[in-house]
Amino acid sequence: MKRHLISAADLTRDDAVLILDTAEEMARVADRPIKKLPTLRGRTICNLFFEDSTRTRISFEAAEKRLSADVINFAAKGSSVSKGESLKDTAQTLEAMGVDAVVIRHGASGAPYRLANSGWIDAPVINAGDGTHQHPTQALLDAFTMRRRLVGRDAGLGKDLAGRRITIVGDILHSRVARSNVDLLHTLGAEVTLVAPPTLVPVGVETWPCEVSYSLDEVLPKSDAVMMLRVQRERMNAAFFPTEREYSRRYGLDAARMARMPEHAVVMHPGPMVRGMEITAEVADSDRCTVVEQVANGVSVRMAVLYLLLGGSEPAVTAPSRTEETK
C-alpha cells in the first residue's frame, strides 16, 4: 500500500484485494453487540470537507469512531477558509495540531494530490472526492458490494472480479465515481462499458480502459452489474440533453429494462438517486438494487482503508471478549 490514497488508479490488484478482504473483517464488527474496535485509539483524524457532503462525511466519521480514533470535522463554510485562508495555511494548522491522517473532499480536481505531495503536512491523505477527478473509496465500496453479490461473502476472499461485465450509465462527463470505477474495475479484471448520451461522454474517453456504447438496451443482457449515475446538474453550465423525459426514455432504468438483465445481475447507484429520471421507484426498491448495501459497505471499506494506511501491525479484528459476548 502507498502512503496516501489519492486515486483508484494508484492501487495494484493486490492492494485492492487486500482492502476488500480487510473490509470483510471489518464488516463482521457490525454484527457484534458493541460495534467498536480499539485499533486507532489515541490517533486523531481530520475530515477536511471543502465541498458539501452528507453520506461520505458521515460514513468516514462512523468508520473512524468504530476504530476508536479521535475525530475532527472541518467544513469550509463558517471557517477561516471563508475569510480567505488557503489550503496551505489550513494544512499547516492541522500539522501543528498533530493530526495523524486527513480525509479531504474538495471541489478542485487535484487538491488531495497537492496536499499529499506539497510537504505541508506529514500525515496520510485520503481523497474523499475531488472535482470531477476521483473518489477512490466509493469505487472500493462498489467493488466490495459487487464481489459480495456476484462471488459471495466468504467465497470472494482473495478474489477479484475477473471476467465480470459491468455497465456504468449516465453522466460520465461530470462523474468522479465513473472515473474511479473504470480504473479500479479494470485493475480487478472486470470488463467495463460506459453508456451515456454523446454530450455526457468526456473527450479522451477512448484512452480509458473500457468500452463506450450509446444504446443501453443492447448492453443490458450482457451485464452482471448496472451502475446508474446521478445527473450532476450543479456542475452543468449548458443543456446536455433535451428534457428529463427524453433522458429517462433513453437512459433511465425501469422494470422493463431491468427484466432484460440476467437473473443474477444487480443494480447499483452511488446516490443520491433522482427517482423517476435515472431510476424508477420500482427498480430502486427491488431486491436487486444494492443502494442500501453500498451505504453499509462504505463504512467497512473506509475502516479498512484507515486501518491499512495508518499502519496497523496487529490483526485488525480479534475475537470479541467474553464481556462483549454477554452484553
Side-chain angles (χ1 to χ4, degrees), residues 275-301:
R275 294 184 182 226
M277 180 181 169
E278 301 154 2
I279 189 169
T280 63
E282 187 177 5
V283 175
D285 297 332
S286 74
D287 293 338
R288 301 176 73 171
C289 185
T290 65
V291 171
V292 177
E293 289 173 49
Q294 287 171 262
V295 175
N297 292 340
V299 177
S300 303
V301 165

Side-chain angles (χ1 to χ4, degrees), residues 103-263:
V103 177
I104 178 172
R105 168 170 285 207
H106 204 289
S109 299
Y113 178 87
R114 178 70 170 150
L115 183 63
N117 294 282
S118 61
W120 299 333
I121 190 166
D122 183 26
V125 174
I126 301 168
N127 182 1
D130 61 327
T132 59
H133 178 223
Q134 281 280 330
H135 195 351
T137 57
Q138 177 69 44
L140 284 163
L141 77 87
D142 290 337
F144 183 77
T145 305
M146 287 179 212
R147 195 177 75 165
R148 274 193 156 190
R149 279 288 191 117
L150 301 176
V151 184
R153 180 170 178 164
D154 295 321
L157 289 174
K159 295 183 180 176
D160 54 25
L161 294 168
R164 303 291 174 175
R165 291 168 294 190
I166 315 300
T167 300
I168 302 176
V169 186
D171 185 359
I172 309 295
L173 179 64
H174 301 100
S175 178
R176 54 197 174 205
V177 174
R179 286 168 173 78
S180 303
N181 267 289
V182 168
D183 289 333
L184 183 65
L185 291 170
H186 174 69
T187 299
L188 290 172
E191 300 170 17
V192 183
T193 301
L194 303 177
V195 180
T199 51
L200 291 176
V201 175
V203 174
V205 74
E206 62 275 5
T207 64
W208 296 16
C210 63
E211 301 291 325
V212 177
S213 172
Y214 302 107
S215 174
L216 179 56
D217 291 323
E218 287 182 8
V219 178
L220 286 177
K222 298 178 289 185
S223 302
D224 295 304
V226 177
M227 183 183 301
M228 307 303 294
L229 297 175
R230 185 172 68 86
V231 175
Q232 301 188 44
R233 292 190 177 280
E234 72 277 13
R235 299 186 195 277
M236 294 183 179
N237 55 9
F240 287 84
F241 47 85
T243 63
E244 291 187 3
R245 187 173 181 179
E246 174 68 9
Y247 179 92
S248 180
R249 188 178 69 81
R250 298 197 59 182
Y251 299 99
L253 188 62
D254 58 16
R257 281 200 165 116
M258 188 169 67
R260 295 170 61 87
M261 296 163 51
E263 282 189 17

